[in-house]
Amino acid sequence: MAGRGPTGPRSTEYAWLITGPLALIAIVCTTVVGLVAPQPFGGWSLALPLLVAMVAAGIPVLNFTVRRQSLGVTLTEIPLVLAFYLVEPLTVVVIYTVASAVSHLRHRFGATKFWFNVGRAAAGSSLAVLVLQALPPVEGVGPATWLKLAFAASMVTLLSMASVASVHTLLQGWQAGRGALRQSVPGLLAAMINIASGIIFLILIAATWWSLLLLGALLVALAFVYRAYAQFFRQHRTLTDMYELSRAVSESGEYGTLPDALLGRVRALMQAEYATLWLPAQGRHPEVLLTARNDAPGLLDFAKTPAPVRERARDEGRTVAVGRGLTTDGDLRAPLTAHRVKDVIVLPLRSGQAVIGTLEVANRLGDSNYFVRTDVPLFETVAAHAAVALENSRLVDRLRHDASHDTLTRLPNRRRITVALEEAVKIRAPGEVVALLLFDVDRLRQVNESLGHAAGDKVLVEVANRLRSCVPSSALVGRAGGDEFLVTLRLESAEAAVELAAQLREQIRDEMVFDALTLDVDTAVGVAVHPDHGSDAASLLQRVDLAATAAKSVPGSVQLFSPALESRSLRRLGLAGDLRRALDNDELEVYFQPKVTLRDRRLVGVECLARWEHPAHGTVAPEDFVAVAEHTGQLGRFTEFVLREGLRRSRDWTHAGQPLAVAVNLSARTLTDQHFPARVKELLDEYGVPPQLLTMEIKEAGVLDGTDRPIPTLRRLRDLGVRLSVDDFGTGDSSLAHLRRLPVHEVKVDRSFVQGMATDPGDLAIVNAVVTLSQQFGLAVVAEGVESELTLELLQDIGCEIGQGFLFSRPLPYERLEAWFGAQVDPETISPGELPRLRAVP
């Protein structure tokens, strides 16, 4: 919406810039005619009747409104054609100019507009008689005369149209000028008809003067036909505008968009300069005062109508109409004149018997146009329709608001907070967290039991007010229900969320005074943040509940969620059945992360990583569902699922001429299964994959647990030809010396050391030592977590052979991995017996 004080049209005083040239045209043309015409003046006996006829014919029979002005269609061309033939040229100019002056004096125009119209008439008629003087003399009433008279009369019409378009362009812009020309087309057609009628009249008068009787009757009939057409035109336009208004109002839907759809169409329908909607403040809705002004884009936040007029319509609950064509409330003319309002209609908007506002129109467009009594019923129909639409939209808005807000505190309820939280986690920016704070009011039950629920409600309202006034402006405060309040906002870290929670808790702990009673109310606060504690709103709400519950028994009463707070037994019990169904329905998915040689960028294989998107919990961390599988007897099925998927993909790549090794993670519990190596051999034979293309990765804690239990299984796997790898090396308590007695082929350096190499000399030394000693033992080394070019260069310098990490690729599902192959692998490097090389490291 536009604000107050938009730039309006230019002052009408600028019209003198057009009036001056018109006067100059008139002077020049009349001077030339006076010099060249044999008899410039004459025919005064016929001049008076023609003058009377021109004044009578100057009464508009059809009106068009362009922007702020009104264009009228008249019958003046008929007596003008007769004057061209019957009287001398300058006599025509005199009587036509005088007739124009008389007609416009009757409308009480201002001096600027009056002299513009007089100058327009003088210039047009003088130009026309000059054209007639330039043409061969008029003789008789034959076709040649018709063309000469028609051409001369057309000069008057065309000059009039050009001058009107020019003044509109000057005052209101080129769009207004173009609109004036476009709206003048019907007037031009009417002028052509009038000119033809004038020629016919001339022919009949030349035959006999008695034809004037018939011509007068025909002229009166023609005027009635014009007026009937004008009435039909107005009715058609009114019906069209009413239809467009009803459709726009019904489609606007939202309460906030209804004034935009309503006011512009009301202003156009009533042909008013201003249309205003006023709605006083009601409940949570603030006062509305919006105006659509002709030629102004958008809505303005002021009203042209004086306040006393609006107040009378509201207080008395009736229509107030003041103006030349309206007779009610004449005592209000003084304030209207002071505000330069010539006429106004103000209607009360009703909801039942109550007045909910007013709808107003002011200043009928066109200096000679005014609102009349017949406009009031039409406007009342519009106002009744608008009142229903406004009340319905307010009702819908109120219902929508109530559905998402708490009735006691007027805060957003849990549903609204959940929606806002879902939106926030989707658009979280890097380097920030979405924090959720839950304030649980302590001892509210005792307040209700001792002082009554009314006192408890006052406590809740006061807590809501304090939270609302203390939180940052970007925070959303809501009531989760009962004695719980939620605050969600974006912060830089979880620590900042805990600090803010403590500050807000201290603000709430200030004394609350109710009548003669002083209460000291405390709260327990739980804190959870995205992405650390949940990937969706449901999980965050669940975990912040757990944190708030824990805060009640923790000193300080502010508790950040940690996984230890969650009931692992209950969660695992639920996940156990879900994991079984997921395995039955193939709901688990295997992702693949490429492994690349660091020296020449050749792709040597992929690591298979299981992923589970739980329908209720969202993404389940691998460590969670692996632990569930281990403790519920589903580890064998789970491991076989991943192994089958990896071998199937390896077989497909081999058939496609790009053999790639696959690595599968094993749990330490799997190494105690003596049947596992035989099952691996069966699967290798089933898929036809060479054993050397399969790598089994076992965490350091699983193979270096201080016992010899995993060694027999490892040896049997090695005897099959399967490669063995120690995963996450360096995170346990073992030393490199322990690797000497294990039948393994490679060591994977944990990502925590690799990622710190570029900034921590200690991490660099650890990785260097692992690489050096592993190579002395004949073991390959794989670096996990390679995420930067600097890390890559350091690994190359210390002789590390293979790496994997986000620098090359994140873990990808099979379809996206295939696309990654196509984008990263250089096809020119693929040849029989060689591994594919990457184009470049992203």
Side-chain angles (χ1 to χ4, degrees):
M1 296 182 184
R4 184 183 299 274
T7 302
R10 290 179 174 178
S11 169
T12 56
E13 296 299 322
Y14 281 87
W16 289 106
L17 297 177
I18 305 299
T19 305
L22 290 175
L24 182 61
I25 291 173
I27 294 171
V28 172
C29 291
T30 53
T31 302
V32 174
V33 171
L35 294 175
V36 302
Q39 187 176 352
F41 293 97
W44 294 106
S45 59
L46 294 175
L48 183 59
L50 288 172
L51 175 62
V52 174
M54 288 181 182
V55 172
I59 300 175
V61 294
L62 193 59
N63 282 294
F64 298 95
T65 300
V66 180
R67 297 296 176 99
R68 296 173 177 269
Q69 304 300 327
S70 177
L71 301 180
V73 175
T74 64
L75 303 177
T76 53
E77 290 82 4
I78 295 177
L80 181 61
V81 169
L82 297 177
F84 284 146
Y85 185 84
L86 297 174
V87 299
E88 300 304 328
L90 293 187
T91 305
V92 175
V93 175
V94 171
I95 63 174
Y96 189 72
T97 305
V98 171
S100 175
V102 172
S103 298
H104 292 95
L105 280 173
R106 180 174 56 86
H107 294 306
R108 299 177 183 176
F109 288 157
T112 303
K113 189 168 185 179
F114 171 80
W115 287 112
F116 166 76
N117 287 298
V118 172
R120 177 166 58 109
S125 58
S126 59
L127 179 62
V129 296
L130 179 61
V131 169
L132 281 177
Q133 292 300 312
L135 295 175
V138 174
E139 296 180 358
V141 290
T145 300
W146 305 347
L147 293 177
K148 295 174 186 177
L149 296 178
F151 186 67
S154 298
M155 290 296 100
V156 178
T157 302
L158 293 176
L159 182 64
S160 177
M161 291 175 54
S163 60
V164 170
S166 299
V167 79
H168 277 287
T169 303
L170 178 65
L171 298 184
Q172 302 172 37
W174 64 270
Q175 291 182 338
R178 188 175 62 178
L181 288 175
R182 188 166 51 245
Q183 294 287 354
S184 297
V185 172
L188 180 61
L189 295 177
M192 295 300 103
I193 295 174
N194 292 341
I195 292 171
S197 300
I199 293 173
I200 294 174
F201 286 11
L202 178 60
I203 294 172
L204 294 176
I205 292 173
T208 174
W209 286 93
W210 288 104
S211 61
L212 286 175
L213 297 177
L214 296 177
L215 293 177
L218 180 61
L219 193 61
V220 173
L222 186 61
F224 277 109
V225 169
Y226 270 131
R227 289 192 176 276
Y229 170 75
Q231 184 178 5
F232 170 78
F233 180 81
R234 285 195 299 270
Q235 290 175 348
H236 174 73
R237 187 192 61 195
T238 300
L239 290 175
T240 302
D241 290 347
M242 282 293 293
Y243 171 75
E244 292 294 334
L245 174 65
S246 301
R247 188 178 67 173
V249 168
S250 62
E251 291 177 354
S252 62
E254 297 289 340
Y255 169 72
T257 63
L258 185 57
D260 297 87
L262 175 67
L263 290 177
R265 289 173 173 83
V266 168
R267 189 205 58 73
L269 175 64
M270 299 301 296
Q271 296 185 32
E273 184 179 1
Y274 297 93
T276 300
L277 174 67
W278 174 68
L279 300 173
Q282 180 181 4
R284 68 180 188 86
H285 298 291
E287 181 184 17
V288 174
L289 183 61
L290 296 171
T291 297
R293 191 184 73 185
N294 189 47
D295 297 333
L299 300 181
L300 312 176
D301 57 354
F302 74 98
K304 186 69 171 178
T305 310
V309 182
R310 182 181 308 112
E311 292 169 358
R312 179 169 297 185
R314 178 197 60 185
D315 296 341
E316 299 182 6
R318 63 177 181 85
T319 301
V320 175
V322 185
R324 180 176 177 180
L326 306 166
T327 57
T328 64
D329 301 279
D331 58 313
L332 294 175
R333 289 185 182 273
L336 290 179
T337 303
H339 286 77
R340 297 183 180 180
V341 177
K342 65 177 181 179
D343 52 357
V344 66
I345 303 176
V346 180
L347 292 178
L349 299 175
R350 297 181 179 277
S351 175
Q353 297 299 318
V355 175
I356 61 173
T358 61
L359 188 62
E360 310 160 14
V361 288
N363 287 358
R364 189 68 173 265
L365 291 175
D367 293 338
S368 60
N369 292 338
Y370 297 88
F371 293 121
V372 295
R373 290 185 177 182
T374 55
D375 292 320
V376 176
L378 174 63
F379 193 32
E380 289 176 340
T381 302
V382 173
H385 188 72
V388 173
L390 284 166
E391 189 64 14
N392 288 343
S393 63
R394 273 192 170 182
L395 177 60
V396 171
D397 183 68
R398 190 180 306 118
L399 292 174
R400 186 182 292 114
H401 179 272
D402 291 345
S404 59
H405 287 75
D406 173 53
T407 56
L408 175 64
T409 62
R410 297 299 179 184
L411 291 176
N413 58 18
R414 191 181 189 91
R415 177 188 300 176
R416 176 70 183 90
I417 289 286
T418 302
V419 173
L421 196 56
E422 288 174 349
E423 296 174 353
V425 299
K426 290 178 182 177
I427 57 175
R428 181 185 66 89
E432 68 176 14
V433 299
V434 178
L436 184 63
L437 285 57
L438 177 60
F439 294 80
D440 192 325
V441 181
D442 289 340
R443 298 185 299 276
L444 183 65
R445 182 176 179 180
Q446 288 86 336
V447 173
N448 289 332
E449 292 175 350
S450 303
L451 305 175
H453 286 277
D457 289 346
K458 290 182 179 180
V459 171
L460 292 175
V461 171
E462 180 62 22
V463 171
N465 292 337
R466 292 186 180 186
L467 275 177
R468 193 158 33 197
S469 62
C470 296
V471 297
S473 59
S474 60
L476 178 64
V477 182
R479 183 185 178 194
D483 55 0
E484 295 179 343
F485 294 86
L486 287 168
V487 177
T488 179
L489 74 165
R490 301 176 186 276
L491 293 170
E492 59 273 16
S493 64
E495 291 74 17
V498 173
E499 182 179 352
L500 176 63
Q503 294 174 358
L504 295 176
R505 175 175 171 268
E506 290 301 319
Q507 294 290 335
I508 296 174
R509 290 183 65 187
D510 288 345
E511 291 182 347
M512 296 184 185
V513 179
F514 300 104
D515 298 328
L517 186 65
T518 300
L519 298 179
D520 185 8
V521 178
D522 200 359
T523 56
V525 190
V527 180
V529 298
H530 167 79
D532 297 350
H533 304 144
S535 59
D536 54 42
S539 59
L540 288 172
L541 287 167
Q542 176 188 2
R543 288 165 181 173
V544 80
D545 275 332
L546 292 172
T549 301
K552 294 180 179 180
S553 58
V554 174
S557 295
V558 176
Q559 177 66 52
L560 178 67
F561 172 82
S562 67
L565 297 176
E566 198 164 19
S567 175
R568 292 187 176 275
S569 59
L570 180 61
R571 176 177 172 80
R572 288 179 178 177
L573 181 63
L575 287 179
D578 295 339
L579 180 60
R580 183 177 293 106
R581 285 191 294 272
L583 289 169
D584 292 340
N585 300 329
D586 293 328
E587 294 177 1
L588 270 67
E589 191 174 5
V590 175
Y591 280 44
F592 304 88
Q593 186 171 29
K595 300 166 72 174
V596 180
T597 60
L598 301 182
R599 285 292 178 189
D600 53 5
R601 309 290 203 276
R602 292 196 180 274
L603 187 63
V604 296
V606 294
E607 181 180 1
C608 303
L609 301 167
R611 295 291 184 264
W612 185 16
E613 191 71 21
H614 194 281
H617 301 295
T619 302
V620 182
E623 57 267 25
D624 286 343
F625 60 77
V626 169
V628 170
E630 287 179 346
H631 290 88
T632 56
Q634 301 181 71
L635 182 61
R637 286 188 65 195
F638 173 75
T639 303
E640 183 174 334
F641 164 77
V642 179
L643 191 56
R644 280 183 174 276
E645 185 67 11
L647 293 175
R648 180 166 70 90
R649 298 305 184 189
S650 180
R651 178 194 62 189
D652 295 343
W653 291 324
T654 301
H655 290 169
Q658 297 182 13
L660 290 178
V662 294
V664 176
N665 291 283
L666 292 185
S667 169
R669 190 182 295 269
T670 303
L671 297 179
T672 62
D673 183 4
Q674 59 181 345
H675 302 291
F676 180 70
R679 185 56 182 157
V680 172
K681 185 177 187 308
E682 293 175 4
L683 293 174
L684 288 170
D685 294 339
E686 177 181 347
Y687 289 95
V689 175
Q692 61 269 22
L693 292 182
L694 175 62
T695 299
M696 296 292 189
E697 296 184 3
I698 309 98
K699 291 185 179 298
E700 177 187 359
V703 293
L704 300 175
D705 60 353
T707 68
D708 293 332
R709 286 177 300 179
I711 293 180
T713 301
L714 293 175
R715 286 177 176 170
R716 291 177 60 190
L717 290 172
R718 179 166 183 166
D719 292 341
L720 291 175
V722 173
R723 291 178 56 82
L724 300 175
S725 175
V726 178
D727 196 9
D728 294 344
F729 190 82
T731 57
D733 298 327
S734 59
S735 67
L736 286 169
H738 294 152
L739 293 176
R740 299 179 59 186
R741 60 189 182 88
L742 293 177
V744 296
H745 300 86
E746 74 177 26
V747 173
K748 295 188 74 173
V749 185
D750 185 71
R751 70 180 66 248
S752 61
F753 300 112
V754 175
Q755 291 174 345
M757 289 176 58
T759 57
D760 190 340
D763 288 343
L764 178 60
I766 292 174
V767 176
N768 190 15
V770 172
V771 171
T772 302
L773 292 178
S774 296
Q775 291 174 345
Q776 292 179 1
F777 293 155
L779 301 176
V781 181
V782 179
E784 292 182 297
V786 181
E787 298 184 358
S788 69
E789 287 285 355
L790 179 58
T791 302
L792 177 63
E793 293 174 3
L794 292 173
L795 290 170
Q796 290 175 338
D797 292 340
I798 63 179
C800 185
E801 302 166 349
I802 302 172
Q804 70 181 90
F806 291 173
L807 180 64
F808 307 108
S809 173
R810 295 175 180 270
L812 301 172
Y814 178 73
E815 294 76 11
R816 291 179 59 188
L817 182 69
E818 288 293 299
W820 183 88
F821 283 164
Q824 301 296 330
V825 173
D826 190 347
E828 297 179 359
T829 65
I830 300 177
S831 58
E834 289 189 0
L835 296 169
R837 177 180 293 170
L838 303 185
R839 284 195 178 96
V841 176

